[in-house]
Amino acid sequence: MNRRFLGRLAAMLLALSALPGLVPAAWAADEAPDALIKRLSDEVLNATRGDKSIQAGDLTKVMALVDSKIMPNVNFQRMTAAAVGPAWRQATPEQQKRLQEEFKVLLVRTYSGALAQVNDETVTVKPLRAAPTDAELVVRTEVRGRGDPIQLDYRLEKTPGQGAGWKIYNLNVLGVWLVETYRSQFAQEINAKGLDGLIAALADRNKANRKG
């Protein structure tokens, strides 16, 4: 499993997880964070293995899978805002909408490439280091397949209200957080051409990826 593959694996693994560990009683009314990750893993892997067009990287099919299975469990506005950085607060509602749309397509394109390469990977969850009252936590996992094991950590937040559940908002592969990686790239575009320049650059990149 080479490092070129790891970048593509990162977005896909937003939906992978492992067996759930012990859950504090205070979480019993909501789906526990590691149980959430297991559910997403089962649903996404089953859908992928049962659909050859998803395995082949059909962007429309992958987008539908992401929309139905993953996005309801991700705070994507927070993820996009964190990737854009301080400039997000100056963005108009329309710019924020466009940024989320283009960032989502960028990640889904990465996701589609990774899905085609999933074979016999297995994921194990490490003991959860969190208190029942924690509103944010990290679920640490390890991906095993061909080659060396890959460290994979998820940041999740507890949304207000019983039954509202946990939302994923960042992911770490081999010590590198996904959002922070994009923030450094986006900052260069914003400094050079502003928010509209970043939106245009993302749109151009997504168009080029579709042609590729």
Side-chain angles (χ1 to χ4, degrees), residues 10 14 83 137-140 151-156 168-185:
L14 281 169
L137 52 77
V138 176
V139 175
R140 303 180 189 279
Q151 170 197 340
L152 179 67
D153 303 334
Y154 305 84
R155 285 197 185 279
L156 297 95
I168 301 165
Y169 68 90
N170 205 349
L171 179 138
N172 181 311
V173 179
L174 293 176
V176 178
W177 289 101
L178 184 71
V179 166
E180 282 69 16
T181 298
Y182 279 109
R183 183 185 297 158
S184 63
Q185 297 176 21

Side-chain angles (χ1 to χ4, degrees), residues 10-193:
M12 181 274 290
L13 286 174
L14 281 169
L16 288 182
S17 70
L19 295 174
L22 295 176
V23 180
W27 288 337
D30 297 302
E31 187 176 24
D34 38 6
L36 165 66
I37 299 298
K38 175 169 171 44
R39 175 173 63 79
L40 291 178
S41 172
D42 290 344
E43 291 178 355
V44 171
L45 289 179
N46 288 339
T48 301
R49 290 167 180 154
D51 193 325
K52 293 189 180 299
S53 60
I54 291 178
Q55 296 170 24
D58 183 320
L59 195 59
T60 300
K61 285 288 191 73
V62 175
M63 185 74 81
L65 176 63
V66 169
D67 281 339
S68 64
K69 302 297 185 184
I70 300 172
M71 292 306 291
N73 303 289
V74 176
N75 184 340
F76 199 67
Q77 179 172 320
R78 176 173 179 175
M79 183 180 290
T80 308
V84 172
W88 177 264
R89 293 190 295 272
Q90 281 75 53
T92 66
E94 178 60 26
Q95 287 174 321
Q96 291 181 353
K97 180 174 178 288
R98 286 293 311 284
L99 285 165
Q100 289 186 75
E101 289 171 349
E102 297 296 345
F103 189 34
K104 177 182 173 183
V105 173
L106 178 65
L107 291 180
V108 169
R109 178 68 185 189
T110 303
Y111 187 103
S112 67
L115 283 176
Q117 300 184 50
V118 173
N119 294 305
D120 57 353
E121 281 76 20
T122 60
V123 184
T124 56
V125 68
K126 297 180 180 180
L128 195 60
R129 300 174 182 175
T133 55
D134 285 349
E136 298 192 8
L137 52 77
V138 176
V139 175
R140 303 180 189 279
T141 72
E142 188 175 77
V143 182
R144 291 184 174 272
R146 299 173 185 175
D148 296 332
I150 300 170
Q151 170 197 340
L152 179 67
D153 303 334
Y154 305 84
R155 285 197 185 279
L156 297 95
E157 64 174 2
K158 180 68 168 64
T159 51
Q162 182 173 306
W166 292 86
K167 303 286 186 182
I168 301 165
Y169 68 90
N170 205 349
L171 179 138
N172 181 311
V173 179
L174 293 176
V176 178
W177 289 101
L178 184 71
V179 166
E180 282 69 16
T181 298
Y182 279 109
R183 183 185 297 158
S184 63
Q185 297 176 21
F186 292 177
Q188 295 177 16
E189 291 288 346
I190 293 170
N191 291 336
K193 300 178 182 178

